[in-house]
Amino acid sequence: MTDSEVSLLLHCAAWRGLLQAQVQVELSERFNRQTDPAVDRHIEEVWTERVSKEPWLFNGSKFRLHSFCLSSSSVSHPACTPPPHTPSSDRAKEQQGDTPHSRQRMEKSCITHSLHDAAQSSLDRRSRAVNQVESADSVSALSPASSTFSKNADDPEPLLTLRLGLTCYKDYLGTNWSCRVAELRQRGEAEFGDALALLAQPLGVGGVLCTADGQVVLIRRSQKVAEAGGLLDIPGGHPEPKVVCERLGQAVCEEQISVDMMQQRPVVSELFSSVCAEIRDEVNIPLSSLGEPVLMGVALNHTSAGRPSAEFYVSCSLTSDEVRKLYWKGGAEAHESTDIVFLGRTEVLQLDISCPLWAELCPSAKGAVLLYQTVRPDSA
């Protein structure tokens, strides 16, 4: 399936998704957006104009996805061997920021990608004719066909490392959503060898929520939200750095947050728990009715310059009728949507660009559907 609005950066089909214990993060200021005085002035101008029109907007810190690394002693690859399409010069750049601990961990086996290289690979594939659902070994070489992993929470070896820096909503509006984004990409490539270097690239989260009677939950976005008003979406939002700091006993304002205030396991916990919090707030489902989130992969939204979003599968012990009743009672973020829609699992698996419903999906929902079709986390 080809759709210019979305592509898959990585998927976890070989394991039918990853649990929290199988994911880790590497935090560093090296993974932040590259700063530039002219770009920073432009960001301030965009923000001032936007807030004057939408005074309810507020800035907040977000995690920035810089790159990722898939590692496991079970994969038969030489140490840090990238996929064949990754140029050696890019491999060197991707590995410059590694700590001794991460290098030691990666020696067993590692496939490392900068976000730009993996995104470009995904775009190249998207320009070619492909089947309705991309095969398990077609996305960023993340899931070698010869690998035979099972989803096991007791697995002591994390299979995926996400390399995260910090960014903010203001920077996102002034870069990814800027009318000058093409220029920013060109400058990033010319000056840093990375087209995404000057972009905010905040990491979002979304959840494919399945009810006890096999229905997938979609919500129709309000016309008052900043993006994709009126379109169908999955529940989602962002993992919040401020929440991590608060859980570590650090009361700080958004502007003071830095990566050295955080620890990697609480960040992973926030990544997984934030999708459940979004489901609770947007659909009004209690956390006690939700299963453990399963990470399916990361999708890219090309309507916002390839913004990444981690997409999860989340089961629910309630039926669709029970979920509908809770939704209409209203949750903490009920104002963000105007309706709830249910699709059967089979219907979701068969969705493609030829279906009229596909045009009603916002890019984040399209990416989540593609990952659900590829990973099939609830298959027997």
Side-chain angles (χ1 to χ4, degrees), residues 64-86:
R64 180 180 190 268
L65 180 60
H66 173 273
S67 53
F68 58 88
C69 174
L70 184 78
S71 62
S72 172
S73 57
S74 300
V75 181
S76 55
H77 292 277
C80 294
T81 300
H85 61 262
T86 307

Side-chain angles (χ1 to χ4, degrees), residues 205-211 217-219 233-238 272-294 311-318 323 326-327 330-334 336-337 340:
V205 295
V208 174
L209 176 64
C210 282
T211 64
V217 176
L218 297 174
I219 52 178
D233 200 0
I234 58 172
H238 301 86
F272 277 73
S273 64
S274 62
V275 71
C276 292
E278 295 291 348
I279 292 171
R280 175 199 61 200
D281 295 343
E282 295 181 10
V283 192
N284 200 31
I285 296 177
L287 296 178
S288 59
S289 298
L290 301 178
E292 183 177 3
V294 177
E311 308 295 356
F312 295 82
Y313 169 81
V314 182
S315 62
C316 178
S317 61
L318 305 177
V323 169
L326 287 171
Y327 172 82
E333 298 179 358
E336 294 186 1
S337 65
I340 188 168

Side-chain angles (χ1 to χ4, degrees), residues 119-133:
Q120 187 60 51
S121 172
S122 183
L123 284 168
D124 291 343
R125 277 191 306 276
R126 208 178 55 190
S127 67
R128 301 192 299 265
V130 293
N131 294 329
Q132 175 178 332
V133 179

Side-chain angles (χ1 to χ4, degrees), residues 23-300:
V23 178
Q24 64 184 2
V25 298
E26 183 180 347
L27 300 165
S28 174
E29 291 183 354
R30 297 188 305 275
F31 305 144
N32 292 357
R33 178 183 67 86
Q34 295 290 338
T35 58
D36 174 90
V39 175
D40 291 346
R41 284 194 298 272
H42 174 68
I43 290 172
E44 290 295 337
E45 292 169 359
V46 170
W47 180 250
T48 300
E49 180 181 1
R50 188 72 177 262
V51 172
S52 69
K53 297 177 180 178
E54 302 170 63
W56 56 85
L57 290 179
F58 63 93
N59 194 20
S61 62
K62 308 296 176 187
F63 290 106
R64 180 180 190 268
L65 180 60
H66 173 273
S67 53
F68 58 88
C69 174
L70 184 78
S71 62
S72 172
S73 57
S74 300
V75 181
S76 55
H77 292 277
C80 294
T81 300
H85 61 262
T86 307
S88 59
S89 60
D90 290 341
R91 294 200 299 267
K93 284 183 294 189
E94 292 161 11
Q95 297 169 13
Q96 281 175 356
D98 293 352
T99 63
H101 172 71
S102 65
R103 285 197 297 270
Q104 182 179 10
R105 182 186 66 246
M106 290 157 55
E107 282 176 358
K108 292 184 178 179
S109 180
C110 179
I111 303 173
T112 305
H113 296 270
S114 71
L115 194 62
H116 167 57
D117 290 336
Q120 187 60 51
S121 172
S122 183
L123 284 168
D124 291 343
R125 277 191 306 276
R126 208 178 55 190
S127 67
R128 301 192 299 265
V130 293
N131 294 329
Q132 175 178 332
V133 179
E134 296 188 54
S135 62
D137 57 352
S138 68
V139 181
S140 298
L142 280 175
S143 303
S146 61
S147 303
T148 54
F149 293 107
S150 61
K151 191 163 57 186
N152 182 357
D154 297 326
D155 188 347
E157 284 291 324
L159 298 174
L160 177 65
T161 300
L162 299 175
R163 290 176 172 164
L164 303 177
L166 289 178
T167 186
C168 65
Y169 185 60
K170 179 173 70 174
D171 286 5
Y172 169 60
L173 291 182
T175 58
N176 288 68
W177 271 106
S178 170
C179 60
R180 293 170 49 188
V181 66
E183 175 191 338
L184 295 178
R185 290 177 62 93
Q186 291 172 356
R187 284 194 55 191
E189 183 65 46
E191 298 174 22
F192 304 100
D194 177 3
L196 306 179
L198 293 168
L199 304 188
Q201 293 298 97
L203 178 63
V205 295
V208 174
L209 176 64
C210 282
T211 64
D213 53 340
Q215 299 291 305
V216 174
V217 176
L218 297 174
I219 52 178
R220 190 170 296 281
R221 294 173 63 84
S222 167
Q223 293 287 357
K224 297 180 180 180
V225 297
E227 301 175 39
L231 297 178
L232 291 173
D233 200 0
I234 58 172
H238 301 86
E240 302 290 350
K242 187 174 182 180
V243 171
V244 175
C245 291
E246 290 172 347
R247 288 174 181 167
L248 292 172
Q250 303 181 57
V252 295
C253 63
E254 297 277 0
E255 292 76 13
Q256 295 175 326
I257 295 175
S258 61
V259 292
D260 57 11
M261 294 178 178
M262 290 175 280
Q263 300 169 11
Q264 76 101 4
R265 289 318 305 175
V267 171
V268 175
S269 176
E270 167 62 8
L271 177 64
F272 277 73
S273 64
S274 62
V275 71
C276 292
E278 295 291 348
I279 292 171
R280 175 199 61 200
D281 295 343
E282 295 181 10
V283 192
N284 200 31
I285 296 177
L287 296 178
S288 59
S289 298
L290 301 178
E292 183 177 3
V294 177
L295 177 62
M296 299 186 295
V298 176
L300 300 177

